[in-house]
Amino acid sequence: MKESIDLTSKLMAQGYRLTPQRMMVLSAIQKSDNHISAEEIYAQVVAGYPCVNISTVYRTLELLKRLDLVTETDLGGGRVRYHPADKGHHHHLVCQECGRIIDLGETVLASLGNRLHREYGFRADLKHLAIFGRCADCQG
Amino acid sequence: MKESIDLTSKLMAQGYRLTPQRMMVLSAIQKSDNHISAEEIYAQVVAGYPCVNISTVYRTLELLKRLDLVTETDLGGGRVRYHPADKGHHHHLVCQECGRIIDLGETVLASLGNRLHREYGFRADLKHLAIFGRCADCQG
DNA sequence: TTTACTGCAAATCTTTTGCATCAAC
DNA sequence: GTTGATGCAAAAGATTTGCAGTAAA
């Protein structure tokens, strides 16, 4: 359980406390094979510990983001999703038809990033990029 | 006033009515030199016609999108912006530091789109893409 | 005159916040 | 025992909806 060691040490290092709620939120994110929303995390946590409040989930997500244990991706349409930071950054192709999320390898957008920097002086945060469209299955 | 001819004919063609509210919403979007939010549109419209309600603005935006008179762009973080469809599609670089929005020409992402289609079979809707990061001025 | 559109108020939905209590250290 | 974290409830912000009155055709 590398991630719980990470959590413990990162929390301790900055004077935060290790609470069951925090462990459960992190664990829910680690367990999900892909991107999970705040509501879904809440549902998972409540299943094991019913009296947890959703505001705690939000506060914990805020903290875990700050500690770089989870990454937040804004998939548009108000859909904010989380995934473990240690699973690596990746880009997302979001199918607007079926909602499927396809991960792109980190390298795919590298040349785009370089070009944006060269031509616009813009440092793109391509880690959190979501590209919308239609996946192969949904093209009628 | 090409756009009001467009509006009139598109409304008539489908049995919709031409109301001052609709004209004012469209005009606010046309006048804005860039991307405008629902609240900003509302503020503009109210300035000229105080009793307009914001729900009418939202309903009108819905209609104008359906009629392809305005384009909606989700810039993330719950920021949805509108711009005239006839001003052409473009991509956006969004500075997370100062909020500035830089438009990219349509061609910049063409090769990316081709690659996504070739390698993933994914038809990317790059018209509405927003890329986050830091603009040249905000890199400390 | 018909019925689509509007204004109003209330409802949603998601996320945030104030505060008293509770528990990790 | 401290004081940071939690649960609860209420607030906030953005958007949607039901409904009765209004006005475009």
Side-chain angles (χ1 to χ4, degrees):
Chain A
M1 277 270 173
K2 168 175 158 295
E3 61 271 6
S4 60
I5 296 170
D6 275 10
L7 178 59
T8 308
S9 60
K10 291 207 178 182
L11 286 176
M12 304 289 280
Q14 293 175 60
Y16 297 112
R17 293 176 183 173
L18 183 63
T19 66
Q21 289 89 338
R22 285 174 178 170
M23 289 173 66
M24 292 178 81
V25 168
L26 185 63
S27 147
I29 299 168
Q30 297 282 0
K31 262 190 300 194
S32 87
D33 43 314
N34 213 309
H35 307 79
I36 189 171
S37 70
E39 288 285 346
E40 288 163 351
I41 293 166
Y42 175 60
Q44 284 234 7
V45 172
V46 160
Y49 190 13
C51 65
V52 170
N53 195 274
I54 191 152
S55 63
T56 301
V57 172
Y58 280 107
R59 281 187 283 226
T60 302
L61 286 171
E62 205 56 47
L63 179 64
L64 294 177
K65 271 191 288 176
R66 212 160 42 218
L67 298 177
D68 279 322
L69 288 165
V70 310
T71 297
E72 181 185 81
T73 304
D74 187 336
L75 297 178
R79 300 187 310 165
V80 179
R81 296 291 152 93
Y82 302 88
H83 80 110
D86 61 11
K87 286 195 185 169
H89 295 304
H90 44 249
H91 320 295
H92 311 84
L93 300 180
V94 183
C95 181
Q96 294 180 305
E97 198 74 25
C98 67
R100 191 172 149 207
I101 299 169
I102 303 161
D103 289 351
L104 265 72
E106 279 192 66
T107 59
V108 178
L109 298 185
S111 69
L112 172 66
N114 290 337
R115 184 167 174 188
L116 292 179
H117 188 235
R118 222 174 30 242
E119 298 183 14
Y120 294 85
F122 190 87
R123 287 263 180 224
D125 178 15
L126 296 174
K127 291 194 299 295
H128 303 141
L129 187 65
I131 297 175
F132 301 96
R134 291 197 171 177
C135 72
D137 295 345
C138 291
Q139 291 167 32
Chain B
M1 278 269 173
K2 168 175 157 294
E3 60 273 5
S4 59
I5 295 172
D6 275 8
L7 178 60
T8 308
S9 60
K10 291 207 178 185
L11 287 176
M12 304 290 279
Q14 293 174 61
Y16 296 113
R17 291 178 182 170
L18 183 63
T19 66
Q21 288 88 339
R22 287 176 177 169
M23 289 174 64
M24 292 178 80
V25 169
L26 185 65
S27 146
I29 299 168
Q30 298 281 0
K31 259 190 302 197
S32 88
D33 45 315
N34 213 308
H35 305 80
I36 189 170
S37 69
E39 288 287 345
E40 287 162 352
I41 294 167
Y42 175 61
Q44 284 234 5
V45 172
V46 160
Y49 189 14
C51 64
V52 171
N53 194 274
I54 192 154
S55 62
T56 300
V57 173
Y58 280 108
R59 282 186 283 226
T60 302
L61 286 171
E62 204 57 45
L63 179 64
L64 294 177
K65 271 190 287 176
R66 212 161 40 218
L67 297 177
D68 279 322
L69 288 165
V70 310
T71 298
E72 181 185 81
T73 305
D74 188 335
L75 297 178
R79 300 188 310 166
V80 179
R81 295 290 153 93
Y82 301 88
H83 81 109
D86 61 11
K87 284 194 185 169
H89 297 301
H90 44 250
H91 319 293
H92 310 86
L93 299 180
V94 183
C95 181
Q96 293 179 306
E97 197 75 24
C98 66
R100 189 171 151 209
I101 299 170
I102 303 160
D103 290 348
L104 266 72
E106 279 191 66
T107 60
V108 178
L109 297 185
S111 69
L112 172 66
N114 290 337
R115 183 168 175 189
L116 292 180
H117 186 234
R118 221 173 31 241
E119 296 181 15
Y120 295 84
F122 190 88
R123 287 262 178 224
D125 178 15
L126 296 173
K127 291 195 299 294
H128 303 139
L129 186 66
I131 296 174
F132 302 95
R134 290 198 171 179
C135 73
D137 295 345
C138 291
Q139 290 167 33

